[in-house]
């Protein structure tokens, strides 16, 4: 069975600090997809990134970067120079490739608080 | 281009009642998935519909059922409501095979 663990329940940092959100996953499939979503107080999940299991290249998008390491089954998310607007709950999720359907398995989320 | 829309926004029901939630996918999307998010938890996958059929189901009882219409919109039905069914119900749409989903704003269901 697939599982996603986000061990950090809540992180609080001061604005402009760098912060890393951890994600560890479990799956028996060799082909799978990993995701990060942001959930602001409004409740709507906002897609941030998707990675497939064959692409271990790290990715940077502005202040956001992602580190995917299959050897440790981790897909960590770093925000550089954090801003108050980054405050939200962040979810890591996993989708296995079999059968075409792609229901997501989410972690419990990390509540990120950026203090001014 | 409208994103994923859900109705109603909020709903209050009592135990034992039945409820129907509605979702319209993003334009061009053909697949709809439903998730339940309890307070302080991550979303849990209920089921996914494609071509008007349930293609995948999570670990939810038969009280949870759904439907997809020819225009790709979808309904989630929950029978015999329990207090534990109180949650935010999220609808997500995608294009089959593309593998990333857009989520709607959710329906907040409260069961008293």
């Amino acid at each position: 069975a697939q599982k996603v663990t986000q061990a950090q329940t809540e992180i609080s940092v001061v604005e402009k600090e760098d912060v890393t959100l951890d994600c560890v996953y479990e799956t028996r499939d060799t082909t799978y997809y990993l995701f990060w979503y942001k959930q602001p107080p409004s409740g709507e999940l906002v897609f941030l990134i998707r990675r497939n299991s064959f692409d271990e290249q790290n990715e940077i998008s502005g202040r956001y970067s992602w580190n995917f390491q299959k050897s440790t089954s981790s897909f960590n998310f770093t925000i550089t120079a954090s801003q108050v607007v980054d405050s939200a709950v962040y979810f890591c999720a996993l989708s296995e490739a079999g059968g075409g359907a792609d229901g997501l398995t989410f972690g419990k989320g990390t509540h990120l608080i950026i203090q001014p | 281009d409208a994103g994923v829309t859900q109705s109603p926004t909020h709903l209050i029901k009592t135990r034992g009642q039945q409820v129907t939630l509605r979702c319209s996918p993003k334009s061009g999307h053909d697949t709809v998935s439903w998730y339940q998010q309890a307070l302080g938890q991550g979303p849990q996958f209920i089921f996914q519909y494609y071509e008007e059929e349930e293609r995948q189901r999570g670990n939810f009882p038969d009280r949870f059922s759904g439907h997809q219409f020819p225009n790709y919109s979808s309904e989630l039905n929950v029978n015999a409501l329990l207090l534990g069914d109180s949650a935010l119900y999220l609808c997500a749409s995608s294009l089959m095979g593309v593998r990333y989903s857009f989520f709607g704003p959710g329906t907040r269901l409260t069961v008293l």
Side-chain angles (χ1 to χ4, degrees):
Chain A
Q2 52 189 349
K3 184 180 178 182
V4 175
T5 301
Q6 294 180 256
Q8 304 150 310
T9 304
E10 184 175 290
I11 298 175
S12 180
V13 300
V14 177
E15 198 173 21
K16 297 184 183 177
E17 287 186 15
D18 298 347
V19 58
T20 296
L21 310 182
D22 297 334
C23 172
V24 174
Y25 63 91
E26 297 175 28
T27 177
R28 294 178 183 173
D29 278 16
T30 54
T31 303
Y32 52 88
Y33 297 83
L34 295 164
F35 304 78
W36 276 95
Y37 282 88
K38 174 181 180 179
Q39 188 174 44
S42 63
E44 188 166 339
L45 284 166
V46 177
F47 169 82
L48 296 177
I49 190 172
R50 179 195 67 184
R51 260 289 179 265
N52 72 53
S53 52
F54 297 108
D55 183 1
E56 286 193 73
Q57 281 190 332
N58 292 330
E59 179 155 341
I60 299 174
S61 176
R63 296 183 297 106
Y64 295 171
S65 63
W66 291 269
N67 181 270
F68 176 26
Q69 292 196 340
K70 287 179 74 171
S71 61
T72 56
S73 297
S74 65
F75 186 44
N76 296 337
F77 172 32
T78 297
I79 301 175
T80 303
S82 60
Q83 300 176 2
V84 172
V85 294
D86 295 327
S87 296
V89 180
Y90 289 86
F91 291 98
C92 180
L94 167 71
S95 168
E96 294 175 340
D102 57 357
L104 297 168
T105 297
F106 284 85
K108 292 187 175 182
T110 297
H111 184 197
L112 178 62
I113 301 168
I114 309 297
Q115 299 178 17
Chain B
D1 176 24
V4 180
T5 59
Q6 293 185 244
S7 63
T9 305
H10 295 88
L11 205 51
I12 299 175
K13 292 286 189 178
T14 56
R15 279 180 297 176
Q17 285 189 313
Q18 178 265 343
V19 68
T20 297
L21 310 182
R22 295 176 176 83
C23 171
S24 291
K26 182 177 169 61
S27 178
H29 285 184
D30 56 11
T31 302
V32 173
S33 303
W34 287 92
Y35 293 82
Q36 180 196 65
Q37 186 178 19
L39 200 61
Q41 301 295 316
Q44 286 198 299
F45 175 70
I46 304 175
F47 42 52
Q48 182 176 87
Y49 278 84
Y50 171 66
E51 292 187 335
E52 302 180 49
E53 290 188 2
E54 184 183 290
R55 299 294 289 256
Q56 186 183 15
R57 189 178 182 94
N59 189 26
F60 278 80
D62 292 344
R63 298 187 298 109
F64 289 78
S65 63
H67 188 77
Q68 185 179 35
F69 298 94
N71 67 352
Y72 307 117
S73 67
S74 176
E75 288 182 349
L76 163 65
N77 301 292
V78 187
N79 294 322
L81 284 167
L82 304 173
L83 295 179
D85 295 331
S86 295
L88 180 67
Y89 287 84
L90 295 164
C91 171
S93 77
S94 59
L95 191 59
M96 178 55 72
V98 173
R99 290 196 178 273
Y100 70 83
S101 300
F102 288 85
F103 281 78
T107 293
R108 173 73 61 187
L109 172 65
T110 301
V111 182
L112 302 176

